[in-house]
Structure formats: structure tokens, C-alpha cells
Amino acid sequence: MRPTDFAATDVEHFPFPLQDDSMRPRVDVEPACVAKDNGVGTWGRTMFVVDHNYERTSQIRRDILEADRARFTAFPHMITAQWDAMTYIMRRLAAEYPDDFAVRISGTDWTWTNKLLDIHHDFVFGDADTLPHQPLEYIARQVQEDLLLLDVHEEGLVLDSALVTFSMAWSPTFTTGMTFHEAHGTIPRIMGDGTVSRAERFLMTMPPGEVYRRNPWSFQVGGRLDISMDTLPEWSAELSEFLAGDPHEQVGQRMRMRSEVSHFVRLPMTGVVLYTIRAQSITLEQLASVPAWARRTVSVIEEQPKDLAHHRGFTLYGPVVLPYLKDRLDSTTGIRTSL
């Protein structure tokens, strides 16, 4: 496995994203932190994921930040929101994984323990000199999720702070500072039909403390976490090499379905929206091992309108993914699937 890759998720815990045989742009938000049945297991009981990739993901994030400090951006007026986000996440981790994390609070004096990374740290809430990094970066180095903070301005929600090292085909360095509408402006159909406006209204009116989630997805070659536009020359070279060869011989192991679970919550002290993104993936071989998933994936790819198919990469990946999944379905059911 290359230093930039992460291991595939177990099928039983994979957040398989397709709920229907068709897919159109929509808000598709649901309450979070409740277990969700994926047909072969469950996922989603916690807001944060601590799994077999945890230590490796932490190291990959540290390496990316060392190479590109622009992956963390925080405007000065967001410092209180950073403290709000960090302490919220600490409390959440300690509640969700009490064997691995602990927090002790006495007034403004805090003690944070992360047994997995061998961290035991005393700090004073609001005192930047008691942390080795700004609060959002400090805690982002200890979670597998990307962290974004959206504040309310006259023009609506604005992405005012973010630490993003694992984005999926978008640029965190370019997007930070954009309004919610600007950040989604390249996605077909969703501006004209009001999807973005509805999503923004939902985020701005969420009751503080209530957690919600959504589940975007895509395909990728290999297990690279960072497939941002900032590193396009790196991962596009791997993609070109894969497609230039005989991808059908390797597709089961090298092609992956990437599922990103996003959580969002209005923070208790500042009301700023904390938006987290956690990437997980399975190989097509794993995907095909669940026939219901394979059938639904084939159906969704085939029914996509051209503009959406192009945006989601189906015009590029579909000619490789579809034959593999259909062949696997044929061998499982004995019924020939038309190509």
C-alpha cells in the first residue's frame, strides 16, 4: 500500500450510499448518530469514525499539512468558533469512544487524553499559547474527518475556516471564503431547482446541538485519500495509467466506490455550523460481493442524464465499472445482464 492510501472498509460497516435505483440532486439529509442498516450490517452509530485506518489517516494528514500549509485556513474572526468546535469534538469523542479518549474540565482548565496517539495535554480554554496549533488544526490532526466551519453573513453561510486534506475532486484552498451558493455553483441542476437554497436554509435553522448527515459518493482508482483538485497532477496520472492499460484485468481490486459521510451541527456556544466529511471506500470486488448493491449501482449509472453523468464521473468510470459489475451479477444469478 502506498503512503497516500488507506485501507478499504469492511463491507459490514460500509455506508453504502444508494437508497434508490435512481439518483437526482436533492438535500437528502437525515438525523445522524443512529445505526443504519446497509443490508449486510450497520453503520452510522457515531458522529466520528475511529477504525483500522485511524493511525494511518492521522499520519497522512500530518504529511499533507507539512507539504501544504494552505490546507488549513482560518480567518481571525473565527477564533472563538475554533475553540467551540475543538471542545465540542473532544466531548463527542470522549462520549463515543470512552476507552480511547477522555476530557477533564475544571473551569477554563482542560485536560485532553488521546490514548491512540499517546497524547495527554493540559490547556486553558481561550489561551492560544497553551496549544501547539490553532484549535481547529489541533483537533483535526486527531480525527479522520475533514472539518469545515460555516458562519452566517448577510449574504448567507460562508466557509470561513477549514482544515481539509481529503477532499473529493474539489479544491479546499480555492473554496475557503466562498458563500454556500458559490461553493456549489458547478454542480448541474441544483441552483435552478432551489436545492442549494433549501440546504442553506436547513443548515441556518437547525436547532443547536442536533446532528444531521448526508452521504455523497463517487468512484476512484486506488485508495488515495487526497483526490483534491490541488493534487490533480498526481492522482490523474494514476488514473490515466490505469485506463491506458487493460483496466478490466484489475478493476475489481483497483477501482473503488468512495462514500463520504458528512455530518453537520450548529455549535452550542457560537451557533457556527460545524461540517465534517469522512471518506471511506470499498473495492469493486467487495461491492460486487453484495448483489443488491451491484444491481443498484448499475441501475443508477445507467439512468443518469448526460450532464449529471459527466459531473459525477460516470462517463469516465462507467465503461469500466458497468461490465465488471454485470459480469459478476451474471455469474451470481446465472441470468445474462444486457450491456
Side-chain angles (χ1 to χ4, degrees):
M1 185 181 294
R2 299 175 311 165
T4 55
D5 289 356
F6 67 127
T9 301
D10 296 334
V11 169
E12 292 81 3
H13 302 114
F14 182 65
F16 182 70
L18 303 180
Q19 306 304 310
D20 302 295
D21 290 338
S22 63
M23 186 176 68
R24 292 291 183 272
R26 58 182 183 270
V27 177
D28 66 352
V29 168
E30 63 183 17
C33 304
V34 291
K36 188 166 185 175
D37 185 358
N38 66 10
V40 293
T42 61
W43 64 274
R45 182 182 59 83
T46 59
M47 181 176 179
F48 292 91
V49 176
V50 177
D51 62 8
H52 59 291
N53 274 308
Y54 179 78
E55 286 85 357
R56 185 179 187 84
T57 302
S58 299
Q59 182 60 57
I60 294 172
R61 172 159 283 162
R62 289 195 295 271
D63 292 344
I64 292 173
L65 287 170
E66 183 176 337
D68 184 5
R69 287 298 304 164
R71 298 301 188 93
F72 171 57
T73 303
F75 295 117
H77 72 276
M78 293 293 287
I79 188 61
T80 302
Q82 284 196 60
W83 284 99
D84 197 7
M86 183 189 77
T87 51
Y88 174 85
I89 293 170
M90 286 179 171
R91 292 175 188 266
R92 192 97 207 180
L93 288 170
E96 294 180 345
Y97 302 95
D99 292 338
D100 300 319
F101 305 95
V103 62
R104 182 169 54 83
I105 309 166
S106 178
T108 59
D109 295 325
W110 288 58
T111 299
W112 168 245
T113 301
N114 178 338
K115 296 179 182 177
L116 298 176
L117 297 182
D118 195 25
I119 294 171
H120 185 80
H121 187 77
D122 297 319
F123 66 90
V124 178
F125 182 92
D127 185 349
D129 293 336
T130 59
L131 290 178
H133 309 284
Q134 290 192 49
L136 192 67
E137 179 178 353
Y138 179 76
I139 197 62
R141 287 171 174 262
Q142 300 178 56
V143 296
Q144 293 178 267
E145 290 76 8
D146 284 328
L147 304 178
L148 301 88
L149 297 178
L150 297 96
D151 200 5
V152 178
H153 293 242
E154 289 184 3
E155 62 270 38
L157 288 175
V158 176
L159 179 57
D160 275 341
S161 296
L163 194 149
V164 179
T165 55
F166 308 138
S167 63
M168 180 170 64
W170 58 280
S171 170
T173 57
F174 180 73
T175 305
T176 304
M178 285 187 175
T179 67
F180 193 78
H181 278 70
E182 289 169 341
H184 292 86
T186 62
I187 304 175
R189 303 191 180 204
I190 65 172
M191 301 301 286
D193 69 2
T195 299
V196 171
S197 295
R198 291 195 299 274
E200 183 177 47
R201 283 197 300 272
F202 178 83
L203 292 173
M204 293 174 66
T205 58
M206 288 188 304
E210 292 189 9
V211 187
Y212 295 86
R213 68 187 174 205
R214 64 185 299 268
N215 191 190
W217 66 283
S218 186
F219 292 110
Q220 69 176 86
V221 175
R224 185 185 179 94
L225 269 170
D226 180 16
I227 52 173
S228 67
M229 297 307 294
D230 302 77
T231 56
L232 177 62
E234 299 173 25
W235 58 265
S236 64
E238 180 183 4
L239 172 60
S240 298
E241 175 268 327
F242 172 71
L243 295 176
D246 188 354
H248 299 287
E249 292 185 356
Q250 316 170 60
V251 63
Q253 284 296 320
R254 290 194 63 186
M255 183 70 71
R256 295 193 187 191
M257 173 182 273
R258 177 177 173 126
S259 176
E260 295 194 342
V261 179
S262 301
H263 285 90
F264 27 95
V265 60
R266 286 181 65 206
L267 294 172
M269 183 170 62
T270 60
V272 167
V273 175
L274 168 65
Y275 196 103
T276 74
I277 307 172
R278 167 73 172 108
Q280 299 178 72
S281 69
I282 54 173
T283 65
L284 278 199
E285 185 175 52
Q286 290 175 291
L287 175 63
S289 72
V290 185
W293 291 5
R295 282 192 293 270
R296 179 151 288 173
T297 302
V298 168
S299 176
V300 165
I301 294 175
E302 290 188 326
E303 66 84 38
Q304 287 295 292
K306 288 184 179 180
D307 58 342
L308 293 177
H310 177 75
H311 174 75
R312 291 175 172 142
F314 296 163
T315 53
L316 181 64
Y317 295 121
V320 178
V321 171
L322 286 175
Y324 177 83
L325 292 181
K326 289 184 176 184
D327 285 346
R328 288 292 300 268
L329 285 170
D330 293 342
S331 64
T332 300
T333 64
I335 300 174
R336 182 62 183 166
T337 306
S338 62
L339 291 173

